[in-house]
Amino acid sequence: MLSVSDAQAIILNLVQPLDEQRDTEVVDLFTSDSRILATPVTSPLDFPHWDNSAMDGYAVRYEDVQHSSAEQPAVLEIVEEIPAGYQPKSPIQPGQAARIFTGAVMPVGADTVVMQERTRREENRVFILDAPKPQEFVRHKASFYEAGTQLLPAGIKLNAPEIAVLAVAQCQQLSVYRRPRVAIFSTGDELVPIDKLLQPGQIVDSNQYAIAALVKQSGAEPLILGIVKDDPVALEKVIAHAVAIADIVISSGGVSVGDYDYIDKVLESLKAKIHIRAVQIKPGKPLTVATFPTQNSPLYFGLPGNPAAVLVTFWRFVLPAIKKLSGITGGWEAVFLKVRSHDELRSDGKNETYLWGKLHLIDGVYEFYKAGGSHSSGNLINLAQTNALAVLPVGKTLIYPQEEVQVLQLGKD
């Protein structure tokens, strides 16, 4: 049985990112939120576009004011007022200044801005009460970005800051990777959709809804294939279809060793290569990962059937795979934080154990509060409103209150 870290390494090694030639599309900037940039972006514009003021004050020549003080202020003639968006008309000559506002273009001849709080104005004259530093409060052309150089690299997720940068560069359209396609189905004769009246022994299939939500949150496109009965012929038909249309296939249920667990046998009949059959993790031990001898070679995840195990194994193994597939250049692996545990945490020590709960910020330090109730892999109820998984490594059976614990923060890129 594989360790969690070995399983993650195998999975990420199997993932081939989307191709920058075949798997891209052009989108408008307004629809680019959370997309992955496929090609580097450059701009023909410098930023700032011109020398401008970083402060409300007066544009001056430094040599006119370098010895100014409250006792002996430099006195300058105000020859122009320059608001933002206005093109200066008058060059600044010795003994002159221009009233200037934040963001406004610096006039020719001026090289320094004196903030207004350090001045006194009398009609068309300004008294400089404190000597500024050379070039103080001047934002120089191209000091933030030089035209023609790389503005943003490929392989990054476009969030609000990146979109703002692209807007400044007047990038109306850009090339992004298409969204990965993830086929999803559930297996089990006991499963029914949410609109059916439950009969004895039946349960509602919640896994498809949870997985679809997680896939959407990851930036991928879910392809819902429904519930498949525990029948090898039906399973083979659905899996073959899923492999033909998706980059990743996710099933839940049917990967244990029971008489009606057919997934691994069906995968073998389809000539799939099974790389993982079980992982030393709780919940989620029965985990199948396979690839197919097809041109697109999608990655198959056979997740357990229990709802909590489905969520834990998705967060731990599937999400990093989707990130790498999507074209992101790095940072695919799950990231853990070290926090304090508010509660006593226990494990049998045989598997890497994940317990769900909430992170709270207490006096500037995060604390993990374990969710109440049973942490059985079949208990979905107390997973609601949680935002973190505490991890007890193999061999660790007890973490005391206020002791440090590693947690996987959920809902974070």
Side-chain angles (χ1 to χ4, degrees), residues 335-345 355-370 387-393 396 398-410 412:
V335 177
F336 295 90
L337 306 176
K338 289 184 178 180
V339 305
R340 287 194 309 231
S341 178
H342 177 269
D343 305 299
E344 183 177 280
L345 307 178
L355 302 172
W356 42 96
K358 294 192 75 170
L359 285 177
H360 292 280
L361 194 60
I362 309 296
D363 295 329
V365 178
Y366 276 113
E367 287 193 13
F368 175 79
Y369 285 67
K370 179 186 172 185
N387 62 8
L389 298 173
V391 185
L392 278 71
K396 185 74 171 180
L398 176 63
I399 290 178
Y400 292 102
Q402 299 305 303
E403 188 178 347
E404 191 176 78
V405 62
Q406 282 197 325
V407 300
L408 174 60
Q409 191 172 8
L410 307 178
K412 297 292 183 180

Side-chain angles (χ1 to χ4, degrees), residues 139-162:
R139 295 184 291 221
H140 291 285
K141 178 182 178 181
S143 59
F144 300 159
Y145 170 77
E146 184 178 349
T149 61
Q150 181 171 283
L151 182 65
L152 291 176
I156 62 170
K157 187 175 182 180
L158 298 175
N159 294 314
E162 291 77 23

Side-chain angles (χ1 to χ4, degrees), residues 57-110:
Y58 294 87
V60 301
R61 292 163 17 106
Y62 175 72
E63 61 186 283
D64 288 342
V65 299
Q66 60 182 315
H67 302 301
S68 295
S69 67
E71 293 77 20
Q72 292 184 316
V75 182
L76 306 175
E77 178 191 6
I78 302 171
V79 296
E80 188 173 21
E81 184 168 294
I82 310 172
Y86 174 82
Q87 181 63 40
K89 301 294 192 298
S90 303
I92 301 302
Q93 304 293 341
Q96 294 181 340
R99 179 75 167 108
I100 196 166
F101 296 88
T102 302
V105 179
M106 289 289 291
V108 174

Side-chain angles (χ1 to χ4, degrees), residues 116-284:
Q116 62 187 25
E117 291 84 354
R118 297 176 183 172
T119 67
R120 184 179 80 252
R121 180 168 180 172
E122 294 181 4
E123 298 180 348
N124 71 331
R125 296 187 303 167
V126 61
F127 293 74
I128 309 300
L129 306 178
D130 189 16
K133 297 176 182 177
Q135 303 185 53
E136 190 169 24
F137 299 124
V138 176
R139 295 184 291 221
H140 291 285
K141 178 182 178 181
S143 59
F144 300 159
Y145 170 77
E146 184 178 349
T149 61
Q150 181 171 283
L151 182 65
L152 291 176
I156 62 170
K157 187 175 182 180
L158 298 175
N159 294 314
E162 291 77 23
I163 291 172
V165 167
L166 291 168
V168 166
Q170 297 185 313
C171 294
Q172 299 180 54
Q173 294 185 318
L174 54 151
S175 177
V176 298
Y177 287 105
R178 66 170 175 81
R179 298 186 188 278
R181 296 183 287 264
V182 181
I184 304 165
F185 67 92
S186 301
T187 69
D189 292 339
E190 76 280 14
L191 300 179
V192 295
I194 62 174
D195 59 346
K196 298 296 183 182
L197 184 65
L198 285 177
Q199 301 298 322
Q202 293 183 331
I203 57 174
V204 174
D205 174 27
S206 65
N207 288 342
Q208 279 196 86
Y209 292 91
I211 296 171
L214 290 167
V215 167
K216 286 181 181 178
Q217 291 166 15
S218 74
E221 176 188 358
L223 308 174
I224 310 300
L225 302 184
I227 298 170
V228 184
K229 296 296 183 181
D230 289 320
D231 174 71
V233 175
L235 284 168
E236 183 170 327
K237 182 178 179 180
V238 169
I239 292 174
H241 174 60
V243 168
I245 64 172
D247 304 295
I248 289 178
V249 180
I250 303 175
S251 66
S252 61
V255 294
S256 191
V257 291
D259 292 341
Y260 298 96
D261 294 321
Y262 297 120
I263 292 293
D264 284 10
K265 295 176 183 178
V266 171
L267 290 174
E268 290 171 348
S269 72
L270 291 171
K271 310 300 183 185
K273 181 177 180 179
I274 299 179
H275 302 269
I276 298 174
R277 296 180 186 270
V279 180
Q280 203 171 3
I281 187 173
K282 182 180 180 181

Side-chain angles (χ1 to χ4, degrees), residues 18-27 32 35-43 149-158 162 166 171 173-178 326-329:
L18 294 175
D19 186 86
E20 62 185 44
Q21 301 298 325
R22 300 191 309 268
D23 298 314
T24 61
E25 57 190 17
V26 176
V27 298
S32 66
R35 302 302 295 270
I36 309 302
L37 192 61
T39 57
V41 174
T42 61
S43 174
T149 61
Q150 181 171 283
L151 182 65
L152 291 176
I156 62 170
K157 187 175 182 180
L158 298 175
E162 291 77 23
L166 291 168
C171 294
Q173 294 185 318
L174 54 151
S175 177
V176 298
Y177 287 105
R178 66 170 175 81
S326 70
I328 295 175
T329 52

